[in-house]
Structures are given as C-alpha cells and as structure tokens.
C-alpha cells in the first residue's frame, strides 16, 4: 500500500517548456487535489477532482490544466512554464475530510 | 482575503513543556477543522481534527480546542518532544470538497 505517490520528485524547466506531473493513489479515494506550497503562503489549491472524469478549479488555477481519466491518477500539466510557477507541488487524495498527501515535486522554472 | 490565519510564523519550546499553536478563521460556514504536520522534504500528514459540534478533541499528547464564538482553534502538544519539530498547518472546511489551509507555524522543540 504505497498511499499517494508523485512523479517526478524534482524537475528544472526553462521558461516556455511544458511538463506533466503525475499523481497516483491506491486507496480508492474519489477526491484528488493539486496544491502548491510557496514560502509564507501555505498550501494553495490549484485544481481538484471529485471523481473520475471530473475536474474543478481551485484558488490558483491559471497556467495549469488537469485530467482525471482514471480514478487512481490525477495529472497536472503546465503548458508554458513561467518562473512564477517555481514551487513545491503536492498531490492529495481523500475519502472525506482527511486528505492524504504525496511527498511533493520540487519544480524550478528558470 | 485569508480565511484561515496562523499569525505566529514560528514557535520555540523547551522539551517537556507545552506547545500551543493557534489558528483563527473568518468564515462562519466552516464546520470541520484539521491540523497537519509537515517535515522538510515530505508531504503534510494528518494529525488531529475536530467537528464544530465539539469544543475539544484529544489524541494522546495532542489536543485541539475549538472556540466557535471567537472563531479560534488551538493545538496543544504536551509534553513536547524534539520529534515534534515541524511546520504545523491548520485547515478548515465547510463541505467535503475542499480544505482551506493556514500559512503554517514552524515549531522548534529544543532540549
């Protein structure tokens, strides 16, 4: 039982490049979330999903897209990376209120 | 507009003493509150929660108190241990879809 896993752990992008972050959970949770954590800002919700095939915008969705084609996977895409997207990205899943987080992806955009 | 506030960015406590971490919220629709603990280079882990129908919830060394009239909750850790050194986030929700997180308090427990 791996819980929530994230791929990759680290990535450096140049401005304008694209990439996809993968989140996988093996707890059969309906809800999945993508957050970013920046110094002094706490955890801010980017996008979330309440079930397979659904997505919704969170607090800071601009510049990101998501897809939930399978219940266990939630993908976060950056189509044209910007330095402002340098951050640590966390994925989470939940059955009810308590969310379970992955280990994070540290992304640097130069 | 920050709906969940942790006004103390850091707290330093001696081992064996009590640690008190505070959190304030503004949205009266919030009815469930959680505390998460985060070590460096790891994801946050769930610590303890409380429903708005209660004013206290206890789990071992950790107790959360909720004061609805003041829109304030606090996490007490007794006794504090060096392994408790981490960043603590409070979070709140008014539905099952989303959590609103505070900015975190870094707790350091020294010998």
């Amino acid at each position: 039982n791996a819980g929530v896993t994230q791929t990759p752990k680290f990535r450096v992008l140049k401005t304008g490049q694209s990439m996809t972050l993968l989140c996988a959970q093996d707890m059969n949770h309906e809800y999945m979330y993508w957050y970013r954590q920046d110094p002094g800002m706490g955890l801010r919700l980017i996008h979330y999903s309440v079930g397979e095939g659904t997505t919704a915008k969170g607090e800071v969705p601009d510049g990101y897209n998501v897809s939930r084609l399978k219940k266990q996977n939630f993908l976060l895409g950056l189509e044209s990376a910007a330095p402002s997207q340098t951050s640590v990205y966390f994925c989470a899943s939940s059955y009810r209120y308590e969310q379970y987080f992955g280990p994070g992806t540290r992304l640097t955009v130069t | 507009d920050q709906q969940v506030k942790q006004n103390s960015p850091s707290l330093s406590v001696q081992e064996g003493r009590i640690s008190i971490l505070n959190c304030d919220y503004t949205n009266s629709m919030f009815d469930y509150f959680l505390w998460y603990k985060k070590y460096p280079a790891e994801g946050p882990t769930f610590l303890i929660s409380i429903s708005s129908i209660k004013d206290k919830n206890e789990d071992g060394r950790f107790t959360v108190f909720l004061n609805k009239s003041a829109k304030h909750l606090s996490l007490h850790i007794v006794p504090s241990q060096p392994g408790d050194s981490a960043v603590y986030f409070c979070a709140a929700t008014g539905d099952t879809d989303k959590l609103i997180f505070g900015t975190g308090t870094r707790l350091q427990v020294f010998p």
Side-chain angles (χ1 to χ4, degrees):
Chain A
N1 189 341
V4 179
T5 58
Q6 293 183 231
T7 309
K9 287 187 169 45
F10 303 94
R11 185 72 186 267
V12 178
L13 286 179
K14 293 188 188 308
T15 297
Q17 288 184 319
S18 63
M19 77 163 295
T20 300
L21 283 68
L22 172 63
C23 176
Q25 53 98 1
D26 61 2
M27 296 173 283
N28 202 34
H29 288 162
E30 290 292 338
Y31 299 95
M32 295 188 75
Y33 310 82
W34 276 107
Y35 294 89
R36 60 179 289 173
Q37 185 194 8
D38 302 292
M41 302 291 284
L43 290 158
R44 293 184 293 169
L45 184 64
I46 304 171
H47 286 282
Y48 66 104
S49 168
V50 300
E52 181 178 319
T54 74
T55 62
K57 294 180 180 180
E59 183 186 357
V60 288
D62 294 341
Y64 306 95
N65 57 75
V66 288
S67 64
R68 182 98 182 269
L69 298 179
K70 293 183 179 181
K71 185 176 184 178
Q72 64 268 34
N73 295 337
F74 196 29
L75 278 62
L76 178 71
L78 287 74
E79 289 186 346
S80 179
S84 61
Q85 294 178 305
T86 293
S87 187
V88 181
Y89 292 85
F90 290 102
C91 175
S93 70
S94 72
Y95 168 65
R96 293 194 65 208
Y97 299 113
E98 290 85 9
Q99 295 182 13
Y100 296 83
F101 284 81
T105 295
R106 183 173 294 276
L107 175 66
T108 301
V109 183
T110 61
Chain B
D1 177 31
Q2 208 167 352
Q3 298 185 71
V4 178
K5 301 177 184 178
Q6 294 177 258
N7 292 317
S8 298
S10 63
L11 175 67
S12 189
V13 172
Q14 189 172 30
E15 181 178 5
R17 307 293 289 262
I18 184 171
S19 295
I20 301 177
L21 293 91
N22 294 304
C23 180
D24 298 294
Y25 62 96
T26 58
N27 190 336
S28 58
M29 298 301 291
F30 289 150
D31 59 5
Y32 198 82
F33 305 88
L34 307 90
W35 285 95
Y36 280 81
K37 177 179 179 179
K38 184 184 180 306
Y39 292 119
E42 295 184 10
T45 55
F46 170 71
L47 192 57
I48 192 170
S49 62
I50 188 167
S51 166
S52 60
I53 63 172
K54 295 184 176 181
D55 54 18
K56 175 182 175 181
N57 189 26
E58 194 170 350
D59 183 2
R61 296 186 296 114
F62 302 91
T63 303
V64 56
F65 295 92
L66 176 62
N67 182 333
K68 291 186 289 291
S69 61
K71 294 191 176 67
H72 177 84
L73 64 154
S74 60
L75 175 68
H76 292 210
I77 306 174
V78 183
S80 301
Q81 300 174 353
D84 297 328
S85 297
V87 176
Y88 290 80
F89 291 99
C90 68
T93 183
D95 59 47
T96 57
D97 287 356
K98 301 186 294 292
L99 294 179
I100 307 299
F101 284 86
T103 53
T105 297
R106 182 177 302 277
L107 172 66
Q108 183 175 5
V109 180
F110 60 93

